Amino acid sequence: MTLGIKMAEKTAEKAVDITPIQQFLYCETPKAWLEYAVKNLEILLIDHAHCEKKAAATAVKLMFRYPERIDLLKKLSQLIREEVLHFEQVLEFIEQQGIKYRAIKPSRYAAGLHQYVQKDEPQRFIDSLLIGGIIEARSCERFHALVPYLKDLYPELAKYYRFLLKSESRHFMDYIDLAKQYSEGDITHRLDFFLRKEKELIETDDPLFRFHSGIPVN
């Protein structure tokens, strides 16, 4: 076990209150998804690694698209470093389980949210930040929900997911705070719109099991 994961497990002992995230999202992860996830650890871990990589790539894209936003650059540069580190740590768990990391078809989740992003600026920018915050919030909520299901079968992974709560909850707030800062008006209506769409994606049947998928149907 590398130093990175050892440090993560030590940090995981500190409790993180995710009540603000649970209150922010419009639904919790369905029990059916959690039960399915524990029985399909290989796909869960592979897609989790992909999610960390995509989170870093999304932040990089925003930094290049909006280089004049200094606060954005500062917050997202830290986020990128953390997401890449998490990607490396999840890869280590994958190797420990004897799983072969590979490309897999992405879930409908992110695309299902991004299809509603406005094409014109500055709303395109604000929508992208809101979606980024929602995805980070769901990741955090899902890590927290998985811990009781993993702690007996995969205690090291449960500890690691507890460790991730702190950074994921901060990433969620960074995105939402940036949206409030750069928006020309109140974000409440637009945020409500995306949260309702996110709830639909989480609570409806989904034929493709992934880290952010809906209710498994096979």
Side-chain angles (χ1 to χ4, degrees), residues 66-82:
Y66 307 102
E68 73 283 0
R69 313 279 191 173
I70 298 301
D71 289 342
L72 176 84
L73 301 182
K74 289 179 179 179
K75 287 187 177 181
L76 293 191
S77 61
Q78 179 182 357
L79 182 150
I80 291 164
R81 291 193 297 271
E82 292 177 341

Side-chain angles (χ1 to χ4, degrees), residues 11 47-48 50 64 92 100 102 116 119 124 127 135 162 179:
T11 307
D47 196 52
H48 177 189
H50 282 298
F64 275 96
E92 185 174 344
K100 183 178 179 181
R102 61 188 186 276
Y116 298 107
K119 295 181 180 179
R124 179 189 181 191
D127 285 354
I135 292 175
R162 280 198 295 268

Side-chain angles (χ1 to χ4, degrees), residues 33 107 109 142 201-202 206 208-215:
W33 184 93
S107 71
Y109 182 78
R142 201 148 268 196
L201 291 166
I202 293 298
D206 195 336
L208 189 66
F209 170 72
R210 293 292 186 266
F211 192 85
H212 291 103
S213 58
I215 299 175

Side-chain angles (χ1 to χ4, degrees), residues 82-93:
E82 292 177 341
E83 301 289 16
V84 171
L85 175 60
H86 297 164
F87 171 69
E88 294 170 351
Q89 291 170 339
V90 178
L91 279 183
E92 185 174 344
F93 274 110

Side-chain angles (χ1 to χ4, degrees), residues 25-37:
L25 295 168
Y26 282 7
C27 69
E28 62 183 21
T29 293
K31 183 179 180 181
W33 184 93
L34 294 166
E35 293 174 345
Y36 194 93

Side-chain angles (χ1 to χ4, degrees), residues 145-156:
L146 277 167
V147 169
Y149 288 81
L150 295 171
K151 65 179 182 179
D152 293 329
L153 292 173
Y154 307 101
E156 290 183 1

Side-chain angles (χ1 to χ4, degrees), residues 101-114:
Y101 181 68
R102 61 188 186 276
I104 58 175
K105 184 178 179 181
S107 71
R108 66 183 185 179
Y109 182 78
L113 294 173
H114 281 284

